[in-house]
Amino acid sequence: MRITDTSDLWWKNAVVYCLDVETFMDWNSDGIGDLEGLAQRLDHLADLGITCLWLMPFYPTAGRDDGYDITDYYAVDPRLGTLGDLVEMIRTANDRGMRVIADLVVNHTSDQHPWFQSAKASKDSPYRDFYVWREDQPPDTSGQVVFPDAEEGIWTHSPETDAWYLHRFYAEQPDLDVTNPRVRDEIAKIMGFWLQLGLAGFRVDAVPFLLETAGVDEDSAAHFPDPHEYLRALRAFLGRRTGSGVLLGEVNLPFEQQAEFFGGQDGDELTMQFDFNTMQQMYLSLARCDAGPLAASLAARPEISPDSQWGTFVRNHDELTLDKLGDDERAEVFAAFGPEEEMQVYDRGLIRRLPPMLAGDPRRVRMVYSLLFSLPGTPVLFYGEEIGMGEDLSAGSRLSVRTPMQRTSGANGGFSDAAAEELTRPVVDGGFAPEFVNVADQRRDPDSLLSFMKLLIRRYRESPELGWGGFQLLEQPHAAVLAHLCTWDDGALVAVHNLGAEPLSVPLTVPGCGAGHRLEDLLTAGGAQLADDGSVELALEGYGYRWLRVVTEDSRRIL
Ligand code: GLC
Ligand code: CA
């Protein structure tokens, strides 16, 4: 096993951590998180074992979509700091062994962006064709909106020129027209700018919408016949500028289409994509205490190039979307984890974090994160997951999970020295308040969730089987159990997870192994000897989990 390969395609076994500078740590006491505050808390992330930070948008914004409506692509939101603060922070992160990527939000600008301000004022504006316009009354497009609570269609009338402009998201987020070569040049320039400042790539926002040309007039669309060619061009550009930069794409589509967004077997489009399908099936599995849906999703993943990678996750910064489940299935997950209407949004998702959904049951929470880190792929955490933060339902919609990071049991959870009413967002109260859930206490407690997360991350990083390897489901008789094997060269790891509350004994056979092999527990002391035919019986507690390295007498793998 060439362990040295793992430093090359670094994203194959990275641990990614998403955070919003605005809610992470306030250093100048104005109630708003800032880049200096983040720099001051990088050591927490390094200690946790994070290898790549993903920064949510930190650019100047009109504040309609929490930063996803940008008014200047070449600057930092002054509330968060300066370009200088960003560069200092990136350097410090790099020193602590962490790369930094950031959101690239170029499907749309804010309607306050100077390009749109100019474009909407006159049909003769040099920026008019940066956006997508139509002169005639649009048909009913209410079925195509992303935010059904706020928008009735994807075209909005602009009185200045008596025309309609396209927007997939809020009306305040007009879509850019990527069939326009000048727009594409700008996108490359934006990427080049941030790469030059030290970013290691991008989380690419809303990729299918970015590439979509429906609505664009036929002439322009004819000049842009293959959107995937454009994605290949972006990836090639990134490669030329950085060598090892990544595009981590948001593509919430069925697997077959995701395969195309990877560039198929060539792997020359998105480097990574979130596995939205497996995430959703995992929640169905958790709701049913039946590993079947999760197992089926993992088995249905398309083959991808060895350079490509799935981003696995339990929770992200948006609603927990369940749009890929059937109506009945979604209803099951709602009933189990978000029965109140105030916990649901857009008829498709939940606005809660995992621990409250699992009624705070520590066994179950740990089992889910053990699962996350043992699934084939690269795990992506959302800030606060490492300590089991809860949500603020009263914040509403997506903001409910974007509350201030809880650092201490003190005032404002140690996020800021400002008065509580000056905070950019209130701190969570109730059973998941900082008094009960915070970094400082958990750092000192070997039995805390934080300590457990560190262990998972260390073992994940030491086990390239998980990020790099082949994946196989192992047959065993219990519906509640997921048993899988990850292999890479001569390395192999068996993981077993019990989604149910009952203790179980799991008989299984490790293919290609026999009496010369042992299983060594990686998360605790323990192990098991395999029989001649590779069979073994593994005990699992209710909501239990085990990671077991397959070793031989002369094995030299780390134990
Ligand atoms: C993505 C982001 C989401 C944002 C939307 C529009 O889905 O994850 O937060 O609202 O794009 O930019
Ligand atoms: Ca501040």
Side-chain angles (χ1 to χ4, degrees), residues 399-417:
L399 295 185
S400 62
V401 298
R402 302 181 189 173
T403 59
M405 179 68 185
Q406 298 173 191
R407 311 202 155 276
T408 70
S409 58
N412 299 330
F415 159 70
S416 170
D417 292 337

Side-chain angles (χ1 to χ4, degrees), residues 25-34 79-80:
M25 182 71 200
D26 171 23
W27 204 248
N28 66 354
S29 309
D30 65 354
I32 305 168
D34 42 48
R79 299 175 313 145
L80 310 181

